[in-house]
Protein backbone atom coordinates (compact mmCIF):
# COMPACT_ATOMS: atom_id res chain seq x y z
CA UNK A 1 0.00 0.00 0.00
CA UNK A 2 1.25 3.47 -0.90
CA UNK A 3 2.19 5.50 2.21
CA UNK A 4 1.60 9.15 3.09
CA UNK A 5 2.32 11.22 6.20
CA UNK A 6 0.40 12.93 8.97
CA UNK A 7 2.81 15.01 11.03
CA UNK A 8 5.70 12.66 11.72
CA UNK A 9 3.61 9.49 11.28
CA UNK A 10 3.61 7.38 8.13
CA UNK A 11 0.15 6.01 7.31
CA UNK A 12 -1.54 4.19 4.45
CA UNK A 13 -2.67 6.48 1.62
CA UNK A 14 -6.24 5.19 2.13
CA UNK A 15 -7.71 5.22 5.63
CA UNK A 16 -10.89 3.67 7.01
CA UNK A 17 -13.82 5.86 8.07
CA UNK A 18 -15.64 4.34 11.02
CA UNK A 19 -18.94 6.23 10.94
CA UNK A 20 -21.12 3.71 9.00
CA UNK A 21 -20.39 1.11 11.69
CA UNK A 22 -21.98 3.19 14.46
CA UNK A 23 -24.77 5.43 13.21
CA UNK A 24 -28.23 4.65 11.79
CA UNK A 25 -28.18 1.47 9.68
CA UNK A 26 -25.10 0.11 11.42
CA UNK A 27 -24.30 -3.60 11.14
CA UNK A 28 -23.86 -6.03 14.05
CA UNK A 29 -20.59 -6.01 15.92
CA UNK A 30 -19.19 -9.15 14.29
CA UNK A 31 -19.49 -7.62 10.81
CA UNK A 32 -17.94 -4.36 11.97
CA UNK A 33 -14.98 -6.15 13.53
CA UNK A 34 -14.55 -8.20 10.34
CA UNK A 35 -14.57 -4.92 8.38
CA UNK A 36 -11.87 -3.34 10.57
CA UNK A 37 -9.78 -6.51 10.37
CA UNK A 38 -10.17 -6.58 6.58
CA UNK A 39 -8.85 -3.02 6.52
CA UNK A 40 -5.77 -4.02 8.52
CA UNK A 41 -5.16 -7.00 6.24
CA UNK A 42 -5.34 -4.68 3.23
CA UNK A 43 -2.59 -2.52 4.76
CA UNK A 44 -4.75 0.29 6.17
CA UNK A 45 -2.99 2.00 9.09
CA UNK A 46 -5.26 5.02 9.59
CA UNK A 47 -8.70 4.65 11.18
CA UNK A 48 -10.92 7.70 11.57
CA UNK A 49 -13.53 7.85 14.31
CA UNK A 50 -15.28 10.36 16.61
CA UNK A 51 -17.00 10.28 19.98
CA UNK A 52 -20.17 11.40 18.16
CA UNK A 53 -20.44 8.28 15.98
CA UNK A 54 -23.29 6.74 17.95
CA UNK A 55 -27.10 6.62 17.97
CA UNK A 56 -28.22 8.34 21.16
CA UNK A 57 -26.73 9.83 24.34
CA UNK A 58 -26.61 6.40 26.05
CA UNK A 59 -24.36 5.20 23.25
CA UNK A 60 -21.71 7.99 23.08
CA UNK A 61 -18.36 6.68 21.84
CA UNK A 62 -19.83 3.53 20.24
CA UNK A 63 -17.39 3.76 17.34
CA UNK A 64 -14.34 4.43 19.52
CA UNK A 65 -15.15 1.41 21.70
CA UNK A 66 -15.69 -0.75 18.61
CA UNK A 67 -12.38 0.27 17.05
CA UNK A 68 -10.51 -0.20 20.34
CA UNK A 69 -11.97 -3.70 20.64
CA UNK A 70 -11.17 -4.65 17.03
CA UNK A 71 -7.58 -3.42 17.38
CA UNK A 72 -7.15 -5.27 20.67
CA UNK A 73 -8.38 -8.47 19.02
CA UNK A 74 -5.99 -7.95 16.10
CA UNK A 75 -2.97 -7.99 18.48
CA UNK A 76 0.35 -7.05 16.89
CA UNK A 77 -1.31 -6.59 13.47
CA UNK A 78 -2.63 -3.30 14.85
CA UNK A 79 0.73 -2.02 16.14
CA UNK A 80 1.20 0.57 13.40
CA UNK A 81 -2.37 1.87 13.31
CA UNK A 82 -3.02 5.54 13.92
CA UNK A 83 -6.49 6.12 15.40
CA UNK A 84 -7.76 9.60 14.67
CA UNK A 85 -10.72 10.69 16.77
CA UNK A 86 -12.62 13.95 17.19
CA UNK A 87 -14.46 16.02 19.76
CA UNK A 88 -16.88 18.92 19.55
CA UNK A 89 -19.91 17.30 17.93
CA UNK A 90 -22.86 15.76 19.75
CA UNK A 91 -26.05 13.87 18.91
CA UNK A 92 -29.27 14.15 20.93
CA UNK A 93 -30.67 10.82 19.67
CA UNK A 94 -33.18 11.97 17.04
CA UNK A 95 -30.78 11.55 14.13
CA UNK A 96 -29.54 15.15 14.28
CA UNK A 97 -26.16 16.64 15.22
CA UNK A 98 -25.16 19.77 17.12
CA UNK A 99 -21.86 21.39 18.06
CA UNK A 100 -20.26 22.18 21.40
CA UNK A 101 -16.81 23.72 21.27
CA UNK A 102 -16.16 25.37 24.62
CA UNK A 103 -12.80 24.47 26.17
CA UNK A 104 -14.25 22.80 29.29
CA UNK A 105 -16.42 20.50 27.16
CA UNK A 106 -13.60 19.64 24.75
CA UNK A 107 -11.35 18.68 27.66
CA UNK A 108 -14.04 16.42 29.14
CA UNK A 109 -14.72 14.86 25.72
CA UNK A 110 -11.03 14.18 25.11
CA UNK A 111 -10.61 12.56 28.52
CA UNK A 112 -13.60 10.29 27.83
CA UNK A 113 -12.16 9.36 24.40
CA UNK A 114 -8.82 8.51 26.03
CA UNK A 115 -10.58 6.05 28.31
CA UNK A 116 -12.66 4.48 25.55
CA UNK A 117 -9.68 4.09 23.23
CA UNK A 118 -7.72 2.76 26.22
CA UNK A 119 -4.53 4.65 25.37
CA UNK A 120 -2.24 6.96 27.32
CA UNK A 121 -2.37 9.59 24.57
CA UNK A 122 -4.63 9.91 21.53
CA UNK A 123 -2.64 9.59 18.29
CA UNK A 124 -4.55 12.32 16.41
CA UNK A 125 -7.28 14.45 18.00
CA UNK A 126 -9.35 16.64 15.70
CA UNK A 127 -11.64 19.51 16.60
CA UNK A 128 -14.77 18.24 14.85
CA UNK A 129 -16.60 21.39 13.75
CA UNK A 130 -16.46 25.13 14.59
CA UNK A 131 -18.98 26.22 17.22
CA UNK A 132 -20.42 29.63 16.26
CA UNK A 133 -21.01 30.37 19.97
CA UNK A 134 -17.29 30.01 20.84
CA UNK A 135 -14.40 32.00 19.30
CA UNK A 136 -12.44 29.56 17.12
CA UNK A 137 -9.15 30.39 18.85
CA UNK A 138 -10.66 29.36 22.20
CA UNK A 139 -11.75 25.95 20.90
CA UNK A 140 -8.40 25.35 19.21
CA UNK A 141 -6.70 26.70 22.34
CA UNK A 142 -8.23 23.78 24.25
CA UNK A 143 -6.72 21.38 21.69
CA UNK A 144 -3.34 23.11 22.13
CA UNK A 145 -3.53 22.62 25.90
CA UNK A 146 -4.28 18.90 25.44
CA UNK A 147 -1.26 18.68 23.14
CA UNK A 148 0.97 20.50 25.64
CA UNK A 149 -0.18 18.17 28.42
CA UNK A 150 0.59 15.07 26.32
CA UNK A 151 -3.04 13.84 26.29
CA UNK A 152 -2.92 13.91 22.51
CA UNK A 153 0.10 13.26 20.29
CA UNK A 154 -1.03 15.25 17.24
CA UNK A 155 -3.73 17.85 16.58
CA UNK A 156 -6.06 18.39 13.64
CA UNK A 157 -9.18 20.33 12.72
CA UNK A 158 -12.24 19.46 10.68
CA UNK A 159 -14.78 21.47 8.69
CA UNK A 160 -12.48 24.48 8.72
CA UNK A 161 -12.22 27.22 6.08
CA UNK A 162 -8.84 28.66 4.96
CA UNK A 163 -8.97 31.45 7.53
CA UNK A 164 -9.68 28.98 10.33
CA UNK A 165 -6.89 26.69 9.12
CA UNK A 166 -4.40 29.57 9.32
CA UNK A 167 -5.74 30.59 12.74
CA UNK A 168 -5.51 27.01 14.03
CA UNK A 169 -1.94 26.79 12.77
CA UNK A 170 -1.11 29.98 14.67
CA UNK A 171 -2.85 28.94 17.91
CA UNK A 172 -1.14 25.54 17.79
CA UNK A 173 2.25 27.16 17.24
CA UNK A 174 2.78 25.49 13.87
CA UNK A 175 1.71 22.04 15.10
CA UNK A 176 -1.47 21.58 13.03
CA UNK A 177 -0.97 18.26 11.20
CA UNK A 178 -4.32 17.63 9.50
CA UNK A 179 -7.52 19.11 8.13
CA UNK A 180 -10.57 16.88 7.57
CA UNK A 181 -13.12 18.43 5.19
CA UNK A 182 -15.82 17.12 2.89
CA UNK A 183 -14.50 16.43 -0.62
CA UNK A 184 -15.82 14.17 -3.37
CA UNK A 185 -16.87 14.34 -7.05
CA UNK A 186 -20.20 15.80 -5.84
CA UNK A 187 -18.62 18.21 -3.33
CA UNK A 188 -15.57 20.01 -4.68
CA UNK A 189 -15.91 23.36 -2.96
CA UNK A 190 -13.23 22.54 -0.38
CA UNK A 191 -10.58 22.59 -3.10
CA UNK A 192 -9.34 25.91 -1.58
CA UNK A 193 -8.63 24.17 1.74
CA UNK A 194 -7.01 21.23 -0.07
CA UNK A 195 -4.70 23.63 -1.93
CA UNK A 196 -3.83 25.48 1.28
CA UNK A 197 -2.97 22.20 3.01
CA UNK A 198 -0.76 21.23 0.06
CA UNK A 199 1.00 24.60 0.33
CA UNK A 200 1.49 24.30 4.10
CA UNK A 201 2.37 20.58 4.09
CA UNK A 202 -0.65 19.64 6.23
CA UNK A 203 -2.47 16.33 5.61
CA UNK A 204 -5.90 16.79 3.99
CA UNK A 205 -8.40 14.03 4.83
CA UNK A 206 -11.46 14.14 2.52
CA UNK A 207 -14.58 13.05 4.43
CA UNK A 208 -17.48 11.37 2.62
CA UNK A 209 -14.95 10.90 -0.22
CA UNK A 210 -17.45 8.72 -2.11
CA UNK A 211 -20.37 11.10 -1.67
CA UNK A 212 -21.57 9.90 1.74
CA UNK A 213 -23.21 6.78 3.14
CA UNK A 214 -26.59 7.22 1.46
CA UNK A 215 -25.24 8.31 -1.91
CA UNK A 216 -22.13 6.17 -2.36
CA UNK A 217 -24.20 3.41 -3.99
CA UNK A 218 -25.24 5.70 -6.84
CA UNK A 219 -21.74 6.99 -7.48
CA UNK A 220 -21.32 5.34 -10.89
CA UNK A 221 -24.75 6.62 -12.07
CA UNK A 222 -24.28 10.16 -10.82
CA UNK A 223 -20.77 10.66 -12.15
CA UNK A 224 -20.56 9.03 -15.56
CA UNK A 225 -16.91 9.96 -16.25
CA UNK A 226 -15.77 8.07 -13.14
CA UNK A 227 -17.78 5.02 -14.24
CA UNK A 228 -16.32 5.25 -17.76
CA UNK A 229 -12.71 5.37 -16.55
CA UNK A 230 -13.52 2.51 -14.16
CA UNK A 231 -14.87 0.38 -17.02
CA UNK A 232 -11.80 1.14 -19.16
CA UNK A 233 -9.45 0.22 -16.30
CA UNK A 234 -11.46 -2.80 -15.11
CA UNK A 235 -11.77 -1.43 -11.55
CA UNK A 236 -14.67 -0.11 -9.48
CA UNK A 237 -15.78 3.54 -9.80
CA UNK A 238 -14.99 3.86 -6.08
CA UNK A 239 -11.34 3.14 -6.78
CA UNK A 240 -11.30 5.75 -9.55
CA UNK A 241 -12.78 8.39 -7.25
CA UNK A 242 -10.25 7.68 -4.50
CA UNK A 243 -7.32 7.58 -6.97
CA UNK A 244 -8.48 10.92 -8.43
CA UNK A 245 -8.50 12.40 -4.90
CA UNK A 246 -5.04 10.97 -4.14
CA UNK A 247 -3.73 12.55 -7.34
CA UNK A 248 -4.86 16.03 -6.21
CA UNK A 249 -1.81 16.42 -3.92
CA UNK A 250 0.61 14.25 -1.92
CA UNK A 251 -1.02 15.50 1.31
CA UNK A 252 -4.43 13.94 0.48
CA UNK A 253 -5.46 10.85 2.50
CA UNK A 254 -9.10 9.83 1.83
CA UNK A 255 -10.96 8.02 4.62
CA UNK A 256 -13.75 6.06 2.86
CA UNK A 257 -16.33 4.68 5.27
CA UNK A 258 -17.24 1.00 5.25
CA UNK A 259 -19.49 -1.40 7.09
CA UNK A 260 -18.59 -4.43 4.95
CA UNK A 261 -15.15 -6.02 4.49
CA UNK A 262 -15.59 -5.99 0.68
CA UNK A 263 -15.97 -2.19 0.62
CA UNK A 264 -12.70 -1.40 2.34
CA UNK A 265 -10.85 -4.18 0.51
CA UNK A 266 -11.88 -2.60 -2.78
CA UNK A 267 -11.21 0.98 -1.63
CA UNK A 268 -7.72 0.10 -0.36
CA UNK A 269 -6.75 -0.98 -3.87
CA UNK A 270 -7.18 2.62 -5.04
CA UNK A 271 -3.80 3.42 -3.48
CA UNK A 272 -2.17 1.43 -6.27
CA UNK A 273 -4.26 2.84 -9.11
CA UNK A 274 -2.31 5.51 -10.94
CA UNK A 275 -4.42 7.63 -13.27
CA UNK A 276 -2.89 9.34 -16.29
CA UNK A 277 -2.98 13.08 -17.02
CA UNK A 278 -5.68 12.65 -19.67
CA UNK A 279 -7.89 10.61 -17.31
CA UNK A 280 -7.44 13.14 -14.50
CA UNK A 281 -8.35 16.02 -16.81
CA UNK A 282 -11.54 14.18 -17.85
CA UNK A 283 -12.49 13.60 -14.22
CA UNK A 284 -11.72 17.19 -13.22
CA UNK A 285 -13.97 18.42 -15.99
CA UNK A 286 -16.80 15.97 -15.17
N1 LIG B 1 -15.41 15.37 9.94
C1 LIG B 1 -16.67 15.26 9.65
O1 LIG B 1 -17.49 16.18 9.88
C2 LIG B 1 -17.16 14.02 8.98
C3 LIG B 1 -18.44 13.96 8.42
C4 LIG B 1 -18.81 12.76 7.77
C5 LIG B 1 -17.92 11.70 7.72
N2 LIG B 1 -16.70 11.78 8.32
C6 LIG B 1 -15.71 10.67 8.26
O2 LIG B 1 -15.47 10.34 6.90
C7 LIG B 1 -15.70 8.96 6.72
C8 LIG B 1 -16.18 8.67 5.31
O3 LIG B 1 -17.37 9.34 5.04
P1 LIG B 1 -18.79 8.57 4.94
O4 LIG B 1 -18.67 7.26 5.62
O5 LIG B 1 -19.80 9.54 5.40
O6 LIG B 1 -19.04 8.42 3.38
P2 LIG B 1 -18.28 7.74 2.15
O7 LIG B 1 -16.93 7.28 2.57
O8 LIG B 1 -18.37 8.69 1.03
O9 LIG B 1 -19.23 6.52 1.84
C9 LIG B 1 -19.32 5.44 2.73
C10 LIG B 1 -20.14 4.34 2.12
O10 LIG B 1 -19.56 3.95 0.89
C11 LIG B 1 -19.63 2.57 0.74
N3 LIG B 1 -18.34 2.13 0.14
C12 LIG B 1 -17.10 2.49 0.56
N4 LIG B 1 -16.17 1.95 -0.25
C13 LIG B 1 -16.83 1.22 -1.17
C14 LIG B 1 -16.40 0.42 -2.26
N5 LIG B 1 -15.10 0.32 -2.57
N6 LIG B 1 -17.36 -0.21 -2.97
C15 LIG B 1 -18.68 -0.08 -2.67
N7 LIG B 1 -19.14 0.68 -1.65
C16 LIG B 1 -18.21 1.33 -0.91
C17 LIG B 1 -19.76 1.95 2.11
O11 LIG B 1 -20.71 0.93 2.01
P3 LIG B 1 -20.88 -0.24 3.10
O12 LIG B 1 -21.40 0.45 4.33
O13 LIG B 1 -21.87 -1.13 2.46
O14 LIG B 1 -19.55 -0.86 3.33
C18 LIG B 1 -20.13 3.12 3.00
O15 LIG B 1 -21.38 3.00 3.62
C19 LIG B 1 -16.72 8.61 7.81
O16 LIG B 1 -16.80 7.23 8.01
C20 LIG B 1 -16.18 9.40 8.95
O17 LIG B 1 -15.09 8.72 9.53
C21 LIG B 1 -16.30 12.93 8.92
Amino acid sequence: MQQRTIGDRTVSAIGLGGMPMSIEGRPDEARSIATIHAALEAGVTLVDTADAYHLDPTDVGHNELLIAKALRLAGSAADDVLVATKGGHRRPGDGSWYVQGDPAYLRKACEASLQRLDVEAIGLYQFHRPDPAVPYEESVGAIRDLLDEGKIVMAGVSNADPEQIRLAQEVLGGRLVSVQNQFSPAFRSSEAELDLCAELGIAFLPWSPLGGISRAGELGDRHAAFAEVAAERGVSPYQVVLAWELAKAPVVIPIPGASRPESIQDSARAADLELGAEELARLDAA
Side-chain angles (χ1 to χ4, degrees), residues 8-268:
D8 58 6
R9 282 287 294 265
T10 300
V11 295
S12 54
I14 298 289
L16 169 67
M19 192 169 78
M21 293 180 277
S22 291
I23 67 165
E24 292 75 6
R26 69 192 187 194
D28 63 26
E29 187 182 272
R31 195 174 104 192
S32 291
I33 288 179
T35 301
I36 298 163
H37 288 175
L40 301 186
E41 279 156 30
V44 169
T45 55
L46 170 66
V47 181
D48 182 73
T49 180
D51 58 357
Y53 297 161
H54 63 79
L55 293 176
D56 60 52
T58 65
D59 189 40
V60 175
H62 178 275
N63 200 245
E64 292 178 324
L65 287 168
L66 176 71
I67 286 164
K69 182 171 181 181
L71 297 185
R72 210 165 38 242
L73 289 171
S76 59
D79 281 354
D80 294 332
V81 174
L82 173 64
V83 176
T85 192
K86 314 181 200 80
H89 234 320
R90 306 187 75 174
R91 305 196 76 199
D94 61 1
S96 68
W97 303 72
Y98 65 100
V99 288
Q100 186 168 353
D102 58 283
Y105 171 73
L106 289 174
R107 168 170 296 274
K108 233 174 58 190
C110 177
E111 281 165 0
S113 290
L114 266 169
Q115 295 217 331
R116 284 189 291 262
L117 291 172
D118 196 20
V119 290
E120 277 171 31
I122 292 171
L124 172 59
Y125 197 67
Q126 306 156 100
F127 176 41
H128 208 144
R129 189 179 281 275
D131 179 349
V134 180
Y136 197 61
E137 56 273 30
E138 283 184 24
S139 301
V140 179
I143 308 293
R144 177 203 51 219
D145 293 347
L146 295 166
L147 196 55
D148 288 343
E149 292 164 27
K151 293 195 170 176
I152 66 175
V153 181
M154 296 192 290
V157 294
S158 182
N159 300 298
D161 65 25
E163 202 181 318
Q164 289 163 333
I165 294 170
R166 289 190 190 277
L167 183 55
Q169 182 63 308
E170 193 185 312
V171 172
L172 290 165
R175 293 176 292 170
L176 177 69
V177 299
S178 66
V179 172
Q180 182 178 141
N181 276 15
Q182 186 172 10
F183 186 72
S184 67
F187 191 97
R188 304 186 194 199
S189 57
S190 55
E191 201 125 22
E193 288 93 40
L194 192 162
D195 290 345
L196 179 61
C197 286
E199 181 194 321
L200 300 176
I202 293 169
F204 181 87
L205 281 46
W207 66 253
S208 291
L210 302 169
I213 297 173
S214 57
R215 294 205 156 169
E218 309 153 16
L219 192 138
D221 303 330
R222 284 175 175 267
H223 303 281
F226 289 85
E228 280 161 27
V229 172
E232 287 160 20
R233 290 296 201 109
V235 299
S236 73
Y238 305 93
Q239 285 186 43
V240 175
V241 168
L242 296 168
W244 168 74
E245 291 167 2
L246 286 170
K248 288 275 163 202
V251 296
V252 175
I253 307 173
I255 47 167
S259 68
R260 291 176 300 123
E262 299 77 14
S263 299
I264 189 61
Q265 279 157 351
D266 181 69
S267 294

